[in-house]
Amino acid sequence: MATAEERRRAHATDEWRRALYEQSPERAGLFSTMSGLENEPLYTPASVAIDYDRDLGYPGAFPYTRGVYPSMYRGRLWTMRQFAGFGTAEETNARFRYLLDHGQTGLSTAFDMPTLMGYDSDHARSLGEVGREGVAIDSLEDMEQLFAGIPLGEVSTSMTINAPAAMLLAFYICVAEEQGVPQDKLRGTIQTDILKEYIAQKEWIFPPEPSMRLCVDMIEYCARHVPLWHPVSISGYHIREAGSTAAQELAFTLADGFAYVEAGVERGLDVDDFAPRLSFFFNAHIDFFEEVAKYRAARRIWARELRERYGAKNPRSWLMRFHAQTAGVSLTAQQPEVNIVRTALEALAAVLGGCQSLHTNSFDEALALPTEHAVKLALRTQQVIAHETGVASTIDPLGGSYYLEDLTNRLEQEAYDYFGRIRDLGGVIEAIKENFFQREIAEASFRFQSEVESGDRVIVGVNRFEDTDERELEILKIDAALERKQIERVQALRVRRDSAAVSSALARLKQGAAAADTNLMPAIIDASRAYVTMGEMCDALRETWGVWRETPVF
């Protein structure tokens, strides 16, 4: 029951609203969040019931609402990563060195579309796409060049790839071996989150069940041999980029995470053997407070569910550590310099939400891959936030805000409502087959676009404050000759390698894929050492497992 003090505060708030606020007309416009959550004009102690110990606690302590580490940024700043990848391995290696020289603290690798889809650069389906929106990696030879002169024992590397993630991790492990770096010293993350591909990004190869098997193979292998590596980065970013709301991003991402936990336990792994190395990847969108609340709710839900539902005993299993990237979908081709402002605000939300690493988009990315100038400015944005604004001087400075705590609670409830609906459908994979996620995202995207087209939701430079006299921006252009160079490289590799070793390695891979109880990572690493290409390995698995065809949603 409400206390006398709570009743007094509620009465006072009602009096303020009646006597003062309602006497002034509201301006026209939306007052809801991008998820459609309605906002009150004012939040007071009467607006939200907070149990500090239960709902907030302390940084580095359950439920981790205020941060996963006791000292957060007073102890160590977040890792500053800038996504890089274009052309061949040589060009991307040069961009890596440029970023490291300018203060980047972690590498983040983008791959081209053929690599993402498991095709070599000389495949017919790769024509015109080689090196266009990321780096082309066909074999261990390319990976050797990509990280030439970069000591893998000293850097943390992130690789954004999913369906062929096992092959790219194997290439990385082999390069480290050549450098004399043991597997147990490697640090970094590979995305591997195939569930979000079926939900949003659509870059899959195999059906869901064998794809999940391959993910669990990687989780199991890394738990035993590469203990500092994050084998899965459970990704809400692409769900959000496809048009979801923040509430859907939160719910669907966590549901995917729980599915990986359940798959690992079903394999026979103890949850505490692998959960500490699961990481997350969230979008940092433009609705500032909703984004901060989303991250706080995510940490709280993950900690509670891992401890109470999955029985994790190790507190490190309860920690949700996450990378954030500013919202590509929020960038506009119109007045692209305004994107600098958008990115800065989105990055600030990620920092105030307690991210562990962060990528800031470049202002020209709505037009092309970023120029070096734009990339450096994006990195400087993070450095200004870290060193000039003071937001890293105290932990969770927005914690305790009546509005923020109420928003955190409401987003948490929205997530649990979705968990129930997914459970009723039989879990994540069955919900994917039923097109549940795809329909929810499509409807949310339609609602948002309707708001933009009606003018109710303002996008500066797009549907208001347009500029009819914009100057043309200098953009990065990929030399078409790089595609021919990459094709010639992979074809030359096939001529000089040991063909008998290649045939033997592929036969072992297919044999392992046909056996349900075989972890495929050792076979994939052996094939990588023999310079079997990524496309050849994927083709061997296509022959064994088949491919996935989605029923379209309109």
Side-chain angles (χ1 to χ4, degrees), residues 196-505:
K196 70 94 175 55
E197 294 297 331
Y198 301 114
I199 290 172
Q201 186 146 329
K202 314 301 183 183
E203 291 166 2
W204 62 71
I205 301 174
F206 318 113
E209 289 84 356
S211 293
M212 280 293 284
R213 174 204 168 168
L214 196 54
C215 289
V216 179
D217 284 351
M218 294 177 66
I219 292 169
E220 181 180 40
Y221 184 87
C222 288
R224 294 175 177 170
H225 303 287
V226 202
L228 302 181
W229 192 266
H230 296 93
V232 180
S233 177
I234 304 153
S235 304
Y237 185 86
H238 311 86
I239 292 170
R240 192 66 178 280
E241 291 289 291
S244 82
T245 66
Q248 290 169 339
E249 179 193 359
L250 172 65
F252 299 169
T253 307
L254 288 171
D256 288 351
F258 300 146
Y260 291 120
V261 170
E262 290 163 9
V265 171
E266 186 176 344
R267 174 69 64 90
L269 300 173
D270 186 292
V271 66
D272 286 320
D273 287 342
F274 66 90
R277 302 311 295 172
L278 298 179
S279 65
F280 286 79
F281 175 21
F282 284 109
N283 200 293
H285 218 298
I286 196 65
D287 196 329
F288 188 86
F289 289 104
E290 184 170 55
E291 295 302 291
V292 178
K294 177 184 72 181
Y295 306 132
R296 300 169 90 250
R299 277 194 296 271
R300 192 158 72 198
I301 294 169
W302 184 256
R304 181 190 303 119
E305 295 301 302
L306 264 290
R307 187 177 77 168
E308 298 177 7
R309 194 195 333 177
Y310 297 108
K313 302 292 192 297
N314 183 351
R316 292 181 62 244
S317 298
W318 309 338
L319 304 183
M320 168 176 276
R321 287 161 296 184
F322 75 95
H323 171 73
Q325 179 176 338
T326 57
V329 74
S330 73
L331 304 179
T332 65
Q334 302 93 326
Q335 302 180 42
E337 291 92 342
V338 178
N339 293 330
I340 299 170
V341 181
R342 294 185 177 100
T343 294
L345 292 171
E346 291 165 356
L348 184 61
V351 170
L352 290 172
C355 69
Q356 277 58 67
S357 68
L358 176 62
H359 165 91
T360 33
N361 289 330
S362 300
F363 69 88
D364 54 359
E365 288 191 62
L367 300 168
L369 290 176
T371 62
E372 285 192 349
H373 166 69
V375 166
K376 183 167 70 173
L377 189 58
L379 178 59
R380 293 288 184 257
T381 300
Q382 293 201 50
Q383 292 164 340
V384 168
I385 291 172
H387 300 289
E388 296 187 30
T389 63
V391 298
S393 297
T394 192
I395 303 165
D396 188 31
L398 296 182
S401 155
Y402 302 126
Y403 173 49
L404 183 63
E405 299 303 343
D406 179 76
L407 198 50
T408 301
N409 291 343
R410 285 192 285 162
L411 284 172
E412 181 177 8
Q413 185 57 55
E414 290 274 318
Y416 273 100
D417 290 345
Y418 269 117
F419 297 157
R421 296 172 67 185
I422 294 165
R423 186 169 53 249
D424 290 344
L425 289 169
V428 170
I429 289 180
E430 291 305 314
I432 287 169
K433 293 177 179 178
E434 292 291 325
N435 285 327
F436 169 74
F437 300 106
Q438 299 92 316
R439 283 195 302 271
E440 289 291 307
I441 294 170
E443 290 171 7
S445 181
F446 178 79
R447 287 194 300 272
F448 178 83
Q449 189 61 31
S450 297
E451 292 171 353
V452 172
E453 292 183 6
S454 69
D456 291 336
R457 188 169 296 279
V458 176
I459 308 295
V460 173
V462 176
N463 63 356
R464 198 180 298 182
F465 313 114
E466 297 95 333
D467 188 346
T468 58
D469 188 27
E470 289 191 56
R471 64 180 178 85
E472 188 173 342
L473 197 68
E474 183 178 341
I475 62 174
L476 179 69
K477 292 183 171 60
I478 305 300
D479 186 352
L482 294 178
E483 180 164 349
R484 172 48 52 188
K485 176 183 175 182
Q486 183 65 22
I487 290 171
E488 290 173 352
R489 170 184 284 172
V490 69
Q491 290 176 343
L493 171 70
R494 292 199 190 99
V495 170
R496 68 173 183 271
R497 67 190 181 181
D498 184 336
S499 58
V502 168
S503 296
S504 177

Side-chain angles (χ1 to χ4, degrees), residues 123-168:
H123 192 282
R125 291 192 174 183
S126 302
L127 182 63
E129 292 292 337
V130 176
R132 290 289 174 178
E133 57 181 32
V135 62
I137 299 294
D138 293 320
S139 71
L140 174 57
E141 181 180 61
D142 293 323
M143 193 68 98
E144 291 166 341
Q145 182 58 53
L146 182 63
F147 292 102
I150 298 173
L152 299 190
E154 299 176 16
V155 298
S156 170
T157 301
S158 173
M159 293 185 281
T160 301
I161 194 157
N162 296 280
M167 293 76 183
L168 273 295

